[in-house]
Amino acid sequence: MSAPVQEKIPGRLGEMVAKMEALYADLDLAAVRDWKSRGQNRRAVGFLPVYVPREVIHAAGALPVGIMGGADRIEIVRGDSYFQSYICHLPRSVIELAVVGKLDALDGFVFPSICDVIRNLSGMFKLLLKDKFVHYLDLPQNFDRRLGGRFYIQDMQHLAQGIGRLTGVEVTDSALRASIKAFNHNRAAVRRLVAARSDRPWEVPTLEYFLLLRAGYLIPVEEHTALLDEYLELVGRSGRHMMDNVRVVVRGAFCEQPPLGLLRTLERAGCYVVDDDFVLGAHFIERDLDERGDPWEALAEGFMEYSVPSASKYDEHRTKGSELVRRVRDVRGEGVIFMAPSFCDPALLDQPMLAAALEKEHIAHTALKYSEDTGQFQVIREQAGTFADGLKLWSNA
Amino acid sequence: MSTQTTEKDASMLKQKEMIADHFHALAHAKKNGKKVVYTFVPGNLTELINHFGLLPVLPEINALQSGMRGKSAEYIAIAEKAGHSEDVCTYVKTDIGMLKAGNIGPTGEPLPKPDLLLLSYTGCFTFLKWFELLREEYDCPVVMLHVPYQADGAITPEMRDYVVGQIRREVIPAFERLSGVKYDEAKLRAQLALSARAEDDLVWVLESGKHRPSPIDAWFGGVYYIGPMFTSFRGTQDAIDYYRLLREEIQERLAQNLGPVTPDGPAGAERYRLVVEGPPNWTSFREFWRMFSSEGAVVVASSYTKVGGLYDRGFRHNPDDPLGTLADYCMGCYTNLNFPQRVALLESYINDYAADGFLINSVKSCNSFSAGQLLILRELEKRTGRPGGFIESDLVDPRYFSAANIKNRLESYFQMIEARRTGARP
Ligand code: SF4
Ligand code: SF4
């Protein structure tokens, strides 16, 4: 189990960080139980990485709750007996959480189609948790709005009906528009956070950034937006100092999340993470969605036209390499760390293509692998440190 | 699936000839003005590719052939040296390595570059990455055919419309552009009728495993039997002829109460009837088979022989609904079934084929098959009361085929079946 992750931070900011840490540690979903207890017939629906349209769950009257595995906070007793050693770690901790009852507060689960492991996990849930609602959301890989778009809308509508059966709420267009609006506010706040972190990474340490995004997977969207706003205001006046760190972009950590110790190690090794794909679903759609027209079309448009490149999505226009290069330039990144979970086929198969695009532009990169329960960081610290030193030498040359 | 001759039956020779002709045509495709489409095995659109006079290349088949020919270790090493992770599917790395080593196909003749990549991904996300990777190597168009998953255990009208829409609006126009040939529905119907005839015979062959003793091995032998049907020959007279010959040969064995033909000749007495889940290993295929045949273990049914369709559960290509039937085929393959369906199918095989037990060969490469197989094991044991075995290997990476280990496990497994028979506790 991990040690405390932060030195004590004074004042209101310290309170906020403590709250985020408590949410992160809340494997029993006490926050969800609490939310449910505050109203009649409240329902909560879990979703797996990477992306699901949380607006649909919200509009159906349920709390969307992100399930990101157990990291290094849960001992895997039974989960290992469900998965062979060559399968990534996330599903085994998710199964562990499920079979020991830690997901009991959730009334249903949505599995987006991001890889074969998550896909098969959806069926395992069907077999293991027979009384729960399980929906596999087949995100479209055909980006023609008349084909993939139509199919996606039908799939989202099935999802809405399924959750509606749990909550007794029918998803009307106006309810869905209101949810889009709430998530637009949240997306805007996340964008402000992302921008602040990339402008002044010393003010927004990677760890806090990560905890903030994670908090959004557990509390109502409106509360999360307020949390983001307050945090940004406080760090703006925190007087935190800039260190002599290099600016790196991280890719590959979009599903199984790195343990907090790993994030801290990167910073201690001299790297400011100025862009990444952690908790990717929280910033998967790059801009606000239309709040006035057909809300289903707006959601489809969001996924098909305004979502960021991801290894689990077909790169129709062959732009993921150039997009990464553009992003590195935009955030003034000095290098890229490919940081993928072990045995993550989508991330690892993407890497050679992304690496080739970086090499063409003479952008330095290195690669490391982790597991959500990695506990030893010495090797990673040395590798990241060497990479950071190399970048500094290069920029001083 | 077919370079190795386990028996010199007429069907085997016929299949060898068909394959040789196909690879020969591929080697001379450019010279003969033929266009080439790379695509994947599960739920493929073979009839449609042939319809336009295009030649299909199936990279998975090349990868498994490389495994059988002892080439995959070298190819995987080339790919890993070029930056591919040790962790990922070895079919992809074998294919990339083969490409970098000159793209020589299984018959020793060079493979042509694709004129089009048909990214039809049924039941496996790696396909998507695979063709993104190939696209980096070849300057050719890609057509995406997104095949939805049977998440709720059925093909819904929406799923069907989606696939039909993609075939009609994207695949067919792309094929027309590439070939200069117009889509002709009457011609496609005729092809599909041929498909269905051969499919009937394939089902008869696979179901012969219900007989005791089984005249076939439905896994080691089965991979040869499915070859023409799952690859480039569906909808052709050649496929009909092949399956007719095969059926007659098996009929003959049935009449004589004979078991399957193994790498060492006719099988001895049938001692263990097994259902197997998962693909075989290709790098030590014969050695692996011998571990079964030497113990009198016969695979009477397998899931791997359903990766190109569940014909034995009634699916036939239907000439009356040409595009609809292609869509159903795309969505109906084994790895596109959800977990409860997979478990139910295996359970029914164990019962219908009167198996003594079932075995899972879990391959490191393939998350599509392997993720969750340990739950399948438990469910099947619970439902059938019959012993389940679990072994681990890989498709084409010899580093993950530990013969001694697998042999040990199999021996203990067979002992477990014996113990159950005698009522003793293992
Ligand atoms: S870590 Fe990778 S392989 Fe594992 S579930 Fe996530 S996307 Fe799939
Ligand atoms: S992951 Fe499995 S189904 Fe997919 S390409 Fe590899 S071996 Fe084939």
Side-chain angles (χ1 to χ4, degrees), chain A residues 202-267:
Chain A
W202 53 95
E203 273 182 8
V204 183
T206 304
L207 207 81
E208 289 175 17
Y209 164 83
F210 180 79
L211 289 171
L212 267 167
L213 293 185
R214 292 295 298 264
Y217 271 21
L218 211 51
I219 58 177
V221 60
E222 300 80 2
E223 266 180 53
H224 184 240
T225 307
L227 184 78
L228 287 167
D229 287 342
E230 189 184 356
Y231 174 85
L232 281 170
E233 201 195 312
L234 288 172
V235 290
R237 348 186 213 102
S238 64
R240 287 170 163 174
H241 297 298
M242 187 174 143
M243 316 254 286
D244 181 27
N245 281 3
V246 295
R247 299 170 63 86
V248 300
V249 169
V250 168
R251 282 293 181 276
F254 51 85
C255 176
E256 181 175 319
Q257 297 297 291
L260 299 187
L262 173 49
L263 301 180
R264 194 170 44 180
T265 299
L266 290 180
E267 238 159 50

Side-chain angles (χ1 to χ4, degrees), chain B residues 158-353:
Chain B
E158 288 96 337
M159 289 158 69
R160 207 165 188 262
D161 285 351
Y162 180 32
V163 179
V164 168
Q166 293 175 87
I167 296 174
R168 193 191 305 280
R169 291 207 203 140
E170 299 192 342
V171 179
I172 289 178
F175 283 178
E176 285 182 333
R177 280 194 297 278
L178 186 64
S179 63
V181 173
K182 285 262 0 122
Y183 171 60
D184 173 353
E185 193 149 290
K187 182 175 152 195
L188 182 62
R189 284 178 203 275
Q191 288 176 279
L192 295 167
L194 295 183
S195 297
R197 279 176 57 196
E199 286 158 2
D200 283 342
D201 282 339
L202 171 65
V203 170
W204 187 91
V205 167
L206 293 176
E207 293 197 328
S208 70
K210 288 181 181 164
H211 192 266
R212 193 183 285 264
S214 169
I216 61 164
D217 185 290
W219 197 39
F220 293 108
V223 300
Y224 293 92
Y225 306 151
I226 57 175
M229 186 66 77
F230 288 9
T231 62
S232 320
F233 304 102
R234 221 175 38 248
T236 66
Q237 186 59 43
D238 267 343
I240 293 183
D241 295 345
Y242 168 77
Y243 284 103
R244 185 40 53 134
L245 279 174
L246 179 65
R247 179 173 174 160
E248 284 165 9
E249 287 159 11
I250 289 166
Q251 187 105 50
E252 184 66 33
R253 290 220 288 276
L254 259 184
Q256 296 180 44
N257 242 1
L258 294 175
V261 179
T262 76
D264 301 312
E270 179 184 282
R271 290 176 63 204
Y272 310 110
R273 294 170 64 83
L274 304 178
V275 167
V276 172
E277 145 75 8
N281 159 274
W282 303 111
T283 47
S284 302
F285 187 79
R286 279 174 169 250
E287 186 184 359
F288 195 23
W289 189 347
R290 249 183 221 117
M291 290 180 199
F292 289 72
S293 57
S294 64
E295 299 281 345
V298 178
V299 180
V300 289
S302 70
S303 56
Y304 186 67
T305 49
K306 315 296 157 21
V307 291
L310 271 79
Y311 297 112
D312 62 333
R313 286 298 178 266
F315 175 82
R316 294 291 181 279
H317 280 91
N318 175 9
D320 297 332
D321 178 13
L323 300 192
T325 202
L326 290 179
D328 290 341
Y329 178 61
C330 289
M331 290 184 280
C333 298
Y334 178 71
T335 47
N336 208 47
L337 304 185
N338 76 3
F339 250 61
Q341 286 174 292
R342 277 173 68 180
V343 172
L345 184 74
L346 289 163
E347 181 189 358
S348 69
Y349 285 161
I350 293 165
N351 292 327
D352 298 351
Y353 287 75

Side-chain angles (χ1 to χ4, degrees), chain A residues 88-91 114-118 254-256 341 343-347, chain B residues 367:
Chain A
C88 60
H89 200 272
L90 175 119
I114 61 154
C115 74
D116 294 322
V117 174
I118 295 286
F254 51 85
C255 176
E256 181 175 319
F343 303 108
C344 175
D345 270 41
Chain B
N367 286 345

Side-chain angles (χ1 to χ4, degrees), chain A residues 81 84 86 141 320 343, chain B residues 87 121 132 152 170 362 378:
Chain A
S81 66
Q84 304 87 320
Y86 48 78
Q141 301 286 4
K320 67 180 160 200
F343 303 108
Chain B
D87 291 359
Y121 79 106
E132 282 185 359
D152 291 324
E170 299 192 342
S362 182
R378 262 181 251 175

